[in-house]
């Protein structure tokens, strides 16, 4: 006797959906974003100090800070973190601007020392305003956590 049950037949009822996993990805993402923003702002101070001392240090610090800025831009896709786009875009623009200035004007390290060093110092001072953005994002994340626990 052949069984009436076909093991290859489509199921007659819809399969059960697994319950959604609890996730704090949004909180984690905002913490990483604040961390990268802090790294960007502190790194710009250190990089400008190094650039004033030895302009050739921007060969290393520029790409490293730009990489951090790109990571911050990707993390900032979430609507609550879009304020960090300003920091990311300004860091990338500064790096590209310094590179193009040196490249197009064909400056030697000695010629670039004063103007590029001064530009990095001004940029490092201006970008420190980003601490207000980082603080507001950090506080918003703490309020979200408090609401979820309460």
């Amino acid at each position: 006797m052949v069984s009436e049950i076909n093991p290859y037949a489509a199921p007659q009822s819809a399969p059960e959906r697994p319950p959604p996993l609890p996730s704090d990805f949004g909180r984690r993402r905002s913490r990483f974003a604040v961390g990268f923003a802090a790294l960007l702002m502190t790194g710009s101070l250190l990089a400008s100090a190094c650039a004033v001392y030895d302009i050739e240090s921007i060969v290393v610090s520029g790409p490293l800070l730009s990489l951090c800025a790109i990571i911050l831009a990707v993390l900032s896709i979430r609507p609550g973190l879009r304020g960090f786009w300003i920091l990311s875009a300004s860091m990338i623009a500064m790096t590209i601007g310094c590179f193009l200035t040196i490249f197009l004007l064909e400056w030697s390290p000695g010629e670039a020392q004063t103007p590029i060093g001064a530009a990095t110092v001004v940029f490092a001072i201006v970008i420190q305003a980003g601490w207000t953005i980082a603080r507001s994002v950090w506080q918003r994340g703490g309020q979200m956590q408090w609401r979820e626990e309460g």
Side-chain angles (χ1 to χ4, degrees), residues 89-114:
S90 63
M91 180 57 74
I92 293 169
M94 180 65 179
T95 306
I96 292 172
C98 286
F99 172 75
L100 287 177
T101 302
I102 293 170
F103 181 74
L104 294 176
L105 296 177
E106 298 176 354
W107 281 350
S108 68
E111 294 171 325
Q113 179 73 43
T114 304

Side-chain angles (χ1 to χ4, degrees), residues 55-114:
I55 194 64
E56 292 180 7
S57 67
I58 65 171
V59 172
V60 175
S61 63
L64 283 176
L65 289 174
S66 292
L67 179 65
C68 289
I70 290 169
I71 293 170
L72 180 62
V74 170
L75 289 172
S76 304
I77 290 174
R78 190 168 151 229
L81 303 174
R82 295 228 172 111
F84 287 138
W85 280 4
I86 297 167
L87 295 176
S88 311
S90 63
M91 180 57 74
I92 293 169
M94 180 65 179
T95 306
I96 292 172
C98 286
F99 172 75
L100 287 177
T101 302
I102 293 170
F103 181 74
L104 294 176
L105 296 177
E106 298 176 354
W107 281 350
S108 68
E111 294 171 325
Q113 179 73 43
T114 304

Side-chain angles (χ1 to χ4, degrees), residues 6 10 20 29 31 42 44 53 56 59 69 83 109-111 115 118 122 129 143 146 150:
N6 182 358
R29 174 178 273 206
R31 286 181 187 160
T42 331
S44 67
Y53 179 72
E56 292 180 7
V59 172
E111 294 171 325
V122 169
Q143 288 173 354
W146 181 74

